[in-house]
């Protein structure tokens, strides 16, 4: 019933910036969370960032903290990932994920119930 659509991926040089968007259909309840994950070729899926929909509490992987910022627009049911100081190792397919009900955790893919199709981010050096 819930659909997520990512956008904003592309090719950027090292040190550059991109902003990813994730638009969710329908209403997102206040206690739910949204997250960003990424998967590079030959690597496992990796947690990037998450945000609580209501209070706005944020969570970041150590590898991106200080460079990436997750935010939300409640009126638009949209979550953003601002990525600055991009590095070649940030190259991956980025996925947006959502929780259909309130859950304790946000850092594991098992905590999410629906996923977008992904958007490619490529950082050249």
């Amino acid at each position: 019933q819930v659909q997520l659509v990512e956008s904003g991926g592309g090719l950027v040089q090292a040190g550059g910036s991109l902003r990813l968007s994730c638009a969710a259909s329908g209403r997102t309840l206040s206690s739910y969370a949204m997250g960003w994950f990424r998967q590079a070729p030959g690597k496992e899926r990796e947690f990037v960032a998450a945000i609580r929909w209501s209070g706005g509490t944020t969570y970041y992987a150590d590898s991106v903290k200080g460079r990436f910022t997750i935010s939300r627009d409640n009126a638009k049911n949209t979550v953003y990932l601002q990525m600055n100081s991009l590095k070649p190792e940030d190259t991956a397919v980025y996925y947006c994920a959502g929780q259909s009900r309130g859950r304790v955790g946000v850092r594991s893919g098992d905590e999410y119930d629906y996923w977008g199709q992904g958007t490619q981010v490529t950082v050249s050096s």
Side-chain angles (χ1 to χ4, degrees):
Q1 188 175 28
V2 177
Q3 183 179 10
L4 302 178
V5 180
E6 303 100 331
S7 62
L11 174 64
V12 65
Q13 292 189 357
S17 299
L18 284 173
R19 189 179 75 161
L20 306 183
S21 299
C22 175
S25 64
R27 181 183 177 184
T28 302
L29 299 183
S30 62
S31 63
Y32 295 0
M34 303 289 293
W36 287 97
F37 293 78
R38 66 187 183 186
Q39 188 166 21
K43 296 184 178 180
E44 297 181 353
R45 182 180 59 191
E46 177 187 22
F47 169 77
V48 177
I51 186 169
R52 298 285 182 186
W53 195 256
S54 179
T57 304
T58 57
Y59 310 81
Y60 296 96
D62 290 341
S63 60
V64 306
K65 196 168 187 177
R67 300 188 297 120
F68 292 9
T69 302
I70 188 170
S71 61
R72 80 223 192 280
D73 186 330
N74 290 18
K76 296 181 178 180
N77 278 347
T78 301
V79 176
Y80 305 95
L81 185 68
Q82 178 67 46
M83 304 185 294
N84 298 327
S85 301
L86 283 163
K87 305 174 181 179
E89 50 262 45
D90 294 318
T91 296
V93 177
Y94 283 70
Y95 297 93
C96 178
Q99 296 178 345
S100 62
R101 62 175 177 86
R103 296 174 183 266
V104 174
V106 297
R107 294 178 177 269
S108 172
D110 294 336
E111 300 285 352
Y112 295 85
D113 304 294
Y114 44 91
W115 296 78
Q117 294 300 308
T119 185
Q120 176 71 49
V121 172
T122 303
V123 184
S124 63
S125 61

